[in-house]
Amino acid sequence: MYPQDIRASLGVKMLRSIFEQFVQESPVSVMARGLMERVFAPERMDKLFETHAKVQHQQELLFSSQVDLMSLVVCGIQKSVHAAYKARPTNLIVSTTALYKKLCGVELSVSQALVRETASDLRVLIEIMGGEQPNPLPGYRHKIVDGTCLAATDHRLDAIRLFAAKALPGKAIVVLDPLSKLVIDIILCQDGHANERSLFDNVLSGVQPNDVWTGDRNFCTAKFLWTIAQQKAFFVIRQHGSLGWTELSTLRALGQTDTGNLFEQCIEIC
């Protein structure tokens, strides 16, 4: 046996002993890491990019490398993308300027596909492991929808922070599966001036029969409610004052809940 073979054999044995220690003392950590590495495998990330990207292309910097760097920041391992870049200098052959330009140019379709495809796999794993929350509505799929502004990305120079004419952040509508606690879909918009309701058609394209959609009053529009009903789905959405409706019956008391009294009333939406 050659010296390099001996060193390799010793290295394998050493890693095996360390790995076995983690398996014995923290098996959940080992399993979670294995699942994450499979779901976010570099080959899969690069394939996802090739499928959904329309303008960008991969050369020296692969999309999987970008996901790897961003994961370090999202998980709190590194404070910034630049810090993550400096921690991985041997794996990247591009400059920080090229890296930031690449990250800024990631297309919305790629980001949306990343959320949808990884959430689909993770939800199946959670179901198999019995990690879902009890379903309060057996036979129905509960989905919570909410909009948000990407305000954390709005960094401005000190000299112009006092001016009203400032850059607006983008917008996003997120769909949460409350049973698995996973974000299963996201609709993104780069235009900070866009009305959130202009994105509703993209949300409605994901409505399926027996869904139960929950949202705040901004989603209480006639089109949003009617489209859900036409898809043989249901909604629990807070009433908006601008929604026109006509009473068909008087309020009927149904009892009390932990947060107040419960009433029922038949109405017709105009």
Side-chain angles (χ1 to χ4, degrees):
M1 180 178 293
Y2 294 101
Q4 58 267 28
D5 295 331
I6 297 176
R7 288 195 297 269
S9 178
L10 291 175
V12 170
K13 291 181 179 179
M14 181 180 66
L15 292 175
R16 183 181 301 168
S17 62
I18 296 174
F19 184 77
E20 289 177 352
Q21 183 178 356
F22 273 96
V23 171
Q24 294 296 329
E25 298 183 6
S26 184
V28 175
S29 300
V30 176
M31 182 172 59
R33 175 171 178 174
L35 293 175
M36 292 298 100
E37 289 183 349
R38 181 181 183 278
V39 173
F40 294 95
E43 298 81 6
R44 183 186 185 189
M45 295 295 99
D46 293 333
K47 181 64 176 179
L48 181 146
F49 179 89
E50 294 172 0
T51 302
H52 296 279
K54 301 177 181 177
V55 178
Q56 269 194 329
H57 52 83
Q58 301 189 97
Q59 291 180 340
E60 292 83 2
L61 181 60
L62 298 175
F63 180 67
S64 57
S65 299
Q66 300 174 61
V67 173
D68 181 44
L69 287 177
M70 291 302 299
S71 66
L72 297 177
V73 181
V74 172
C75 296
I77 300 174
Q78 298 292 343
K79 294 182 179 180
S80 65
V81 175
H82 188 261
Y85 170 85
K86 292 195 297 184
R88 300 274 179 97
T90 58
N91 296 341
L92 298 174
I93 59 175
V94 299
S95 64
T96 54
T97 302
L99 171 62
Y100 277 102
K101 286 184 177 179
K102 198 75 170 181
L103 290 174
C104 290
V106 174
E107 298 172 59
L108 301 186
S109 57
V110 175
S111 299
Q112 292 167 351
L114 177 63
V115 171
R116 292 167 181 167
E117 293 191 17
T118 55
S120 178
D121 285 355
L122 291 172
R123 185 162 56 173
V124 172
L125 292 172
I126 292 175
E127 291 177 358
I128 295 174
M129 296 171 62
E132 285 190 317
Q133 300 293 317
N135 189 353
L137 301 170
Y140 299 91
R141 289 181 301 272
H142 190 191
K143 298 178 180 178
I144 300 176
V145 60
D146 196 11
T148 182
C149 290
L150 306 178
T153 64
D154 185 17
H155 299 296
R156 306 181 68 223
L157 298 175
D158 293 338
I160 61 174
R161 287 184 178 177
L162 298 179
F163 292 89
K166 60 182 181 179
L168 295 177
K171 297 181 182 295
I173 295 181
V174 178
V175 180
L176 174 73
D177 173 25
L179 301 186
S180 63
K181 302 297 184 181
L182 289 174
V183 173
I184 58 176
D185 198 3
I186 187 169
I187 293 88
L188 300 170
C189 179
Q190 291 178 314
D191 185 2
H193 296 274
N195 190 313
E196 186 178 88
R197 293 185 176 183
S198 65
L199 306 177
F200 283 4
D201 286 345
N202 295 324
V203 179
L204 293 171
S205 64
V207 176
Q208 299 177 354
N210 287 338
D211 280 351
V212 178
W213 289 77
T214 299
D216 59 27
R217 60 185 179 182
N218 194 40
F219 294 90
C220 187
T221 67
K223 180 180 179 181
F224 197 85
L225 303 183
W226 274 110
T227 303
I228 292 177
Q230 288 173 351
Q231 296 296 329
K232 298 183 179 180
F234 306 89
F235 55 83
V236 181
I237 295 178
R238 187 177 181 181
Q239 177 189 345
H240 196 287
S242 64
L243 181 71
W245 55 277
T246 303
E247 293 184 4
L248 298 181
S249 68
T250 58
L251 285 174
R252 182 167 64 92
L254 297 180
Q256 292 183 331
T257 67
D258 295 337
T259 57
N261 298 323
L262 181 65
F263 295 88
E264 182 180 69
Q265 182 181 33
C266 292
I267 66 169
E268 181 180 30
I269 299 176
C270 302

